[in-house]
mmCIF file of all heavy atoms in Angstrom:
data_model
loop_
_atom_site.group_PDB
_atom_site.id
_atom_site.type_symbol
_atom_site.label_atom_id
_atom_site.label_comp_id
_atom_site.label_asym_id
_atom_site.label_seq_id
_atom_site.Cartn_x
_atom_site.Cartn_y
_atom_site.Cartn_z
ATOM 1 N N ALA A 1 119.520 62.799 69.655
ATOM 2 C CA ALA A 1 118.418 63.538 70.286
ATOM 3 C C ALA A 1 118.586 65.039 70.086
ATOM 4 O O ALA A 1 117.629 65.754 69.758
ATOM 5 C CB ALA A 1 118.355 63.212 71.778
ATOM 6 N N ALA A 2 119.822 65.533 70.238
ATOM 7 C CA ALA A 2 120.065 66.965 70.042
ATOM 8 C C ALA A 2 119.834 67.378 68.589
ATOM 9 O O ALA A 2 119.259 68.444 68.315
ATOM 10 C CB ALA A 2 121.497 67.318 70.469
ATOM 11 N N ILE A 3 120.250 66.535 67.640
ATOM 12 C CA ILE A 3 120.033 66.843 66.221
ATOM 13 C C ILE A 3 118.536 66.876 65.910
ATOM 14 O O ILE A 3 118.069 67.773 65.183
ATOM 15 C CB ILE A 3 120.772 65.816 65.331
ATOM 16 C CG1 ILE A 3 122.278 66.081 65.407
ATOM 17 C CG2 ILE A 3 120.289 65.875 63.881
ATOM 18 C CD1 ILE A 3 123.125 64.997 64.773
ATOM 19 N N LEU A 4 117.778 65.947 66.452
ATOM 20 C CA LEU A 4 116.341 65.905 66.222
ATOM 21 C C LEU A 4 115.654 67.175 66.718
ATOM 22 O O LEU A 4 114.895 67.814 65.997
ATOM 23 C CB LEU A 4 115.726 64.679 66.885
ATOM 24 C CG LEU A 4 114.198 64.599 66.860
ATOM 25 C CD1 LEU A 4 113.701 64.377 65.439
ATOM 26 C CD2 LEU A 4 113.715 63.528 67.790
ATOM 27 N N LEU A 5 115.954 67.559 67.952
ATOM 28 C CA LEU A 5 115.317 68.744 68.519
ATOM 29 C C LEU A 5 115.752 70.031 67.813
ATOM 30 O O LEU A 5 114.931 70.900 67.517
ATOM 31 C CB LEU A 5 115.619 68.831 70.019
ATOM 32 C CG LEU A 5 114.993 67.722 70.862
ATOM 33 C CD1 LEU A 5 115.485 67.797 72.299
ATOM 34 C CD2 LEU A 5 113.478 67.773 70.794
ATOM 35 N N ALA A 6 117.042 70.115 67.503
ATOM 36 C CA ALA A 6 117.531 71.309 66.818
ATOM 37 C C ALA A 6 116.993 71.377 65.387
ATOM 38 O O ALA A 6 116.728 72.464 64.879
ATOM 39 C CB ALA A 6 119.052 71.317 66.793
ATOM 40 N N SER A 7 116.771 70.234 64.761
ATOM 41 C CA SER A 7 116.215 70.203 63.416
ATOM 42 C C SER A 7 114.789 70.754 63.386
ATOM 43 O O SER A 7 114.434 71.529 62.478
ATOM 44 C CB SER A 7 116.223 68.767 62.881
ATOM 45 O OG SER A 7 115.612 68.683 61.631
ATOM 46 N N ILE A 8 114.016 70.409 64.376
ATOM 47 C CA ILE A 8 112.661 70.957 64.478
ATOM 48 C C ILE A 8 112.715 72.467 64.670
ATOM 49 O O ILE A 8 111.999 73.216 64.007
ATOM 50 C CB ILE A 8 111.888 70.265 65.624
ATOM 51 C CG1 ILE A 8 111.644 68.786 65.292
ATOM 52 C CG2 ILE A 8 110.559 70.973 65.878
ATOM 53 C CD1 ILE A 8 111.180 67.960 66.463
ATOM 54 N N GLY A 9 113.589 72.908 65.544
ATOM 55 C CA GLY A 9 113.759 74.345 65.760
ATOM 56 C C GLY A 9 114.245 75.046 64.503
ATOM 57 O O GLY A 9 113.806 76.151 64.179
ATOM 58 N N GLY A 10 115.157 74.423 63.756
ATOM 59 C CA GLY A 10 115.661 74.995 62.511
ATOM 60 C C GLY A 10 114.570 75.162 61.478
ATOM 61 O O GLY A 10 114.493 76.193 60.798
ATOM 62 N N ARG A 11 113.708 74.180 61.371
ATOM 63 C CA ARG A 11 112.606 74.281 60.412
ATOM 64 C C ARG A 11 111.671 75.421 60.766
ATOM 65 O O ARG A 11 111.253 76.205 59.898
ATOM 66 C CB ARG A 11 111.822 72.978 60.362
ATOM 67 C CG ARG A 11 112.602 71.867 59.730
ATOM 68 C CD ARG A 11 111.872 70.548 59.848
ATOM 69 N NE ARG A 11 112.811 69.475 59.580
ATOM 70 C CZ ARG A 11 112.503 68.388 58.923
ATOM 71 N NH1 ARG A 11 111.293 68.210 58.485
ATOM 72 N NH2 ARG A 11 113.401 67.461 58.721
ATOM 73 N N LEU A 12 111.331 75.527 62.028
ATOM 74 C CA LEU A 12 110.401 76.573 62.447
ATOM 75 C C LEU A 12 111.019 77.968 62.290
ATOM 76 O O LEU A 12 110.386 78.879 61.755
ATOM 77 C CB LEU A 12 109.978 76.343 63.903
ATOM 78 C CG LEU A 12 109.135 75.102 64.163
ATOM 79 C CD1 LEU A 12 108.944 74.883 65.659
ATOM 80 C CD2 LEU A 12 107.804 75.189 63.436
ATOM 81 N N LEU A 13 112.256 78.123 62.748
ATOM 82 C CA LEU A 13 112.893 79.429 62.682
ATOM 83 C C LEU A 13 113.173 79.852 61.239
ATOM 84 O O LEU A 13 112.896 80.993 60.851
ATOM 85 C CB LEU A 13 114.203 79.437 63.491
ATOM 86 C CG LEU A 13 114.888 80.792 63.580
ATOM 87 C CD1 LEU A 13 113.996 81.809 64.311
ATOM 88 C CD2 LEU A 13 116.214 80.647 64.286
ATOM 89 N N ILE A 14 113.670 78.943 60.427
ATOM 90 C CA ILE A 14 113.971 79.274 59.034
ATOM 91 C C ILE A 14 112.683 79.558 58.260
ATOM 92 O O ILE A 14 112.644 80.457 57.404
ATOM 93 C CB ILE A 14 114.786 78.167 58.365
ATOM 94 C CG1 ILE A 14 116.199 78.127 58.943
ATOM 95 C CG2 ILE A 14 114.827 78.313 56.860
ATOM 96 C CD1 ILE A 14 117.002 79.402 58.749
ATOM 97 N N GLY A 15 111.630 78.839 58.560
ATOM 98 C CA GLY A 15 110.336 79.130 57.928
ATOM 99 C C GLY A 15 109.881 80.548 58.244
ATOM 100 O O GLY A 15 109.430 81.288 57.371
ATOM 101 N N GLY A 16 110.014 80.953 59.491
ATOM 102 C CA GLY A 16 109.634 82.315 59.890
ATOM 103 C C GLY A 16 110.546 83.363 59.292
ATOM 104 O O GLY A 16 110.086 84.408 58.827
ATOM 105 N N LEU A 17 111.860 83.079 59.283
ATOM 106 C CA LEU A 17 112.799 84.046 58.702
ATOM 107 C C LEU A 17 112.612 84.183 57.194
ATOM 108 O O LEU A 17 112.806 85.264 56.647
ATOM 109 C CB LEU A 17 114.241 83.634 59.010
ATOM 110 C CG LEU A 17 114.677 83.747 60.478
ATOM 111 C CD1 LEU A 17 116.086 83.188 60.662
ATOM 112 C CD2 LEU A 17 114.599 85.183 60.950
ATOM 113 N N SER A 18 112.228 83.103 56.527
ATOM 114 C CA SER A 18 112.002 83.143 55.080
ATOM 115 C C SER A 18 110.808 84.022 54.732
ATOM 116 O O SER A 18 110.739 84.562 53.626
ATOM 117 C CB SER A 18 111.784 81.738 54.524
ATOM 118 O OG SER A 18 112.962 80.986 54.648
ATOM 119 N N ASP A 19 109.867 84.145 55.653
ATOM 120 C CA ASP A 19 108.722 85.030 55.413
ATOM 121 C C ASP A 19 109.119 86.507 55.570
ATOM 122 O O ASP A 19 108.486 87.374 54.975
ATOM 123 C CB ASP A 19 107.587 84.722 56.394
ATOM 124 C CG ASP A 19 106.932 83.390 56.100
ATOM 125 O OD1 ASP A 19 107.054 82.915 54.954
ATOM 126 O OD2 ASP A 19 106.279 82.836 57.008
ATOM 127 N N ARG A 20 110.146 86.772 56.363
ATOM 128 C CA ARG A 20 110.512 88.166 56.655
ATOM 129 C C ARG A 20 111.677 88.693 55.816
ATOM 130 O O ARG A 20 111.774 89.888 55.595
ATOM 131 C CB ARG A 20 110.881 88.278 58.135
ATOM 132 C CG ARG A 20 109.686 88.104 59.034
ATOM 133 C CD ARG A 20 110.096 88.259 60.503
ATOM 134 N NE ARG A 20 108.962 88.048 61.374
ATOM 135 C CZ ARG A 20 108.596 86.861 61.859
ATOM 136 N NH1 ARG A 20 109.269 85.774 61.528
ATOM 137 N NH2 ARG A 20 107.553 86.757 62.644
ATOM 138 N N PHE A 21 112.587 87.812 55.420
ATOM 139 C CA PHE A 21 113.798 88.226 54.707
ATOM 140 C C PHE A 21 113.897 87.522 53.372
ATOM 141 O O PHE A 21 113.189 86.548 53.120
ATOM 142 C CB PHE A 21 115.048 87.909 55.553
ATOM 143 C CG PHE A 21 115.054 88.566 56.889
ATOM 144 C CD1 PHE A 21 114.791 87.833 58.042
ATOM 145 C CD2 PHE A 21 115.316 89.925 57.011
ATOM 146 C CE1 PHE A 21 114.789 88.429 59.296
ATOM 147 C CE2 PHE A 21 115.320 90.545 58.252
ATOM 148 C CZ PHE A 21 115.054 89.793 59.396
ATOM 149 N N ALA A 22 114.795 88.001 52.528
ATOM 150 C CA ALA A 22 115.021 87.373 51.211
ATOM 151 C C ALA A 22 115.508 85.941 51.424
ATOM 152 O O ALA A 22 116.399 85.687 52.239
ATOM 153 C CB ALA A 22 116.041 88.171 50.417
ATOM 154 N N LYS A 23 114.927 85.026 50.673
ATOM 155 C CA LYS A 23 115.262 83.611 50.844
ATOM 156 C C LYS A 23 116.723 83.324 50.528
ATOM 157 O O LYS A 23 117.321 82.433 51.118
ATOM 158 C CB LYS A 23 114.343 82.743 49.996
ATOM 159 C CG LYS A 23 112.936 82.678 50.554
ATOM 160 C CD LYS A 23 112.045 81.849 49.656
ATOM 161 C CE LYS A 23 110.609 81.891 50.097
ATOM 162 N NZ LYS A 23 109.998 83.222 50.090
ATOM 163 N N LYS A 24 117.320 84.079 49.603
ATOM 164 C CA LYS A 24 118.716 83.821 49.280
ATOM 165 C C LYS A 24 119.633 84.101 50.466
ATOM 166 O O LYS A 24 120.624 83.409 50.670
ATOM 167 C CB LYS A 24 119.158 84.586 48.037
ATOM 168 C CG LYS A 24 119.264 86.083 48.217
ATOM 169 C CD LYS A 24 119.756 86.734 46.940
ATOM 170 C CE LYS A 24 119.885 88.223 47.133
ATOM 171 N NZ LYS A 24 120.407 88.875 45.943
ATOM 172 N N TRP A 25 119.303 85.109 51.283
ATOM 173 C CA TRP A 25 120.114 85.405 52.455
ATOM 174 C C TRP A 25 119.877 84.390 53.559
ATOM 175 O O TRP A 25 120.815 83.990 54.269
ATOM 176 C CB TRP A 25 119.865 86.820 52.937
ATOM 177 C CG TRP A 25 120.341 87.832 51.943
ATOM 178 C CD1 TRP A 25 119.585 88.689 51.207
ATOM 179 C CD2 TRP A 25 121.688 88.050 51.539
ATOM 180 N NE1 TRP A 25 120.366 89.435 50.369
ATOM 181 C CE2 TRP A 25 121.663 89.066 50.540
ATOM 182 C CE3 TRP A 25 122.914 87.505 51.890
ATOM 183 C CZ2 TRP A 25 122.825 89.524 49.925
ATOM 184 C CZ3 TRP A 25 124.070 87.977 51.272
ATOM 185 C CH2 TRP A 25 124.015 88.967 50.297
ATOM 186 N N VAL A 26 118.649 83.983 53.715
ATOM 187 C CA VAL A 26 118.333 82.959 54.719
ATOM 188 C C VAL A 26 119.031 81.655 54.341
ATOM 189 O O VAL A 26 119.607 80.964 55.190
ATOM 190 C CB VAL A 26 116.803 82.764 54.846
ATOM 191 C CG1 VAL A 26 116.469 81.628 55.776
ATOM 192 C CG2 VAL A 26 116.149 84.050 55.315
ATOM 193 N N MET A 27 119.014 81.321 53.051
ATOM 194 C CA MET A 27 119.678 80.110 52.568
ATOM 195 C C MET A 27 121.192 80.203 52.752
ATOM 196 O O MET A 27 121.835 79.232 53.159
ATOM 197 C CB MET A 27 119.340 79.873 51.099
ATOM 198 C CG MET A 27 119.901 78.596 50.550
ATOM 199 S SD MET A 27 119.446 78.337 48.834
ATOM 200 C CE MET A 27 117.807 77.671 49.057
ATOM 201 N N THR A 28 121.766 81.367 52.505
ATOM 202 C CA THR A 28 123.207 81.540 52.681
ATOM 203 C C THR A 28 123.611 81.322 54.128
ATOM 204 O O THR A 28 124.593 80.614 54.403
ATOM 205 C CB THR A 28 123.620 82.955 52.228
ATOM 206 O OG1 THR A 28 123.257 83.120 50.849
ATOM 207 C CG2 THR A 28 125.099 83.188 52.402
ATOM 208 N N VAL A 29 122.864 81.890 55.048
ATOM 209 C CA VAL A 29 123.158 81.698 56.480
ATOM 210 C C VAL A 29 122.993 80.235 56.860
ATOM 211 O O VAL A 29 123.834 79.663 57.578
ATOM 212 C CB VAL A 29 122.255 82.603 57.344
ATOM 213 C CG1 VAL A 29 122.357 82.244 58.812
ATOM 214 C CG2 VAL A 29 122.606 84.054 57.113
ATOM 215 N N SER A 30 121.959 79.594 56.351
ATOM 216 C CA SER A 30 121.716 78.191 56.650
ATOM 217 C C SER A 30 122.866 77.317 56.174
ATOM 218 O O SER A 30 123.339 76.430 56.893
ATOM 219 C CB SER A 30 120.403 77.771 55.988
ATOM 220 O OG SER A 30 120.358 76.404 55.763
ATOM 221 N N TYR A 31 123.342 77.533 54.943
ATOM 222 C CA TYR A 31 124.435 76.722 54.413
ATOM 223 C C TYR A 31 125.762 77.043 55.096
ATOM 224 O O TYR A 31 126.625 76.177 55.246
ATOM 225 C CB TYR A 31 124.527 76.867 52.903
ATOM 226 C CG TYR A 31 123.384 76.192 52.190
ATOM 227 C CD1 TYR A 31 122.895 76.672 51.003
ATOM 228 C CD2 TYR A 31 122.779 75.054 52.722
ATOM 229 C CE1 TYR A 31 121.834 76.055 50.340
ATOM 230 C CE2 TYR A 31 121.718 74.437 52.081
ATOM 231 C CZ TYR A 31 121.262 74.934 50.903
ATOM 232 O OH TYR A 31 120.222 74.311 50.271
ATOM 233 N N PHE A 32 125.938 78.287 55.531
ATOM 234 C CA PHE A 32 127.123 78.631 56.291
ATOM 235 C C PHE A 32 127.136 77.870 57.615
ATOM 236 O O PHE A 32 128.173 77.327 58.007
ATOM 237 C CB PHE A 32 127.188 80.135 56.538
ATOM 238 C CG PHE A 32 128.339 80.556 57.397
ATOM 239 C CD1 PHE A 32 129.624 80.568 56.874
ATOM 240 C CD2 PHE A 32 128.140 80.913 58.708
ATOM 241 C CE1 PHE A 32 130.716 80.947 57.669
ATOM 242 C CE2 PHE A 32 129.213 81.277 59.511
ATOM 243 C CZ PHE A 32 130.506 81.291 58.993
ATOM 244 N N LEU A 33 126.002 77.805 58.292
ATOM 245 C CA LEU A 33 125.919 77.029 59.532
ATOM 246 C C LEU A 33 126.239 75.564 59.284
ATOM 247 O O LEU A 33 126.917 74.919 60.079
ATOM 248 C CB LEU A 33 124.527 77.155 60.148
ATOM 249 C CG LEU A 33 124.242 78.420 60.911
ATOM 250 C CD1 LEU A 33 122.775 78.464 61.339
ATOM 251 C CD2 LEU A 33 125.149 78.550 62.111
ATOM 252 N N SER A 34 125.743 75.043 58.181
ATOM 253 C CA SER A 34 126.021 73.651 57.839
ATOM 254 C C SER A 34 127.512 73.439 57.614
ATOM 255 O O SER A 34 128.095 72.436 58.054
ATOM 256 C CB SER A 34 125.227 73.264 56.592
ATOM 257 O OG SER A 34 125.410 71.923 56.281
ATOM 258 N N ALA A 35 128.161 74.386 56.939
ATOM 259 C CA ALA A 35 129.592 74.260 56.646
ATOM 260 C C ALA A 35 130.458 74.334 57.899
ATOM 261 O O ALA A 35 131.460 73.625 58.008
ATOM 262 C CB ALA A 35 130.018 75.320 55.650
#
């Protein structure tokens, strides 16, 4: 349940951040969180 809800939040937040910042930096932060 926590993964499902956080996944929805991740999609929304990363989508918004990708519009404002360089995608390579957003992707780097995303993969760092995954690691």
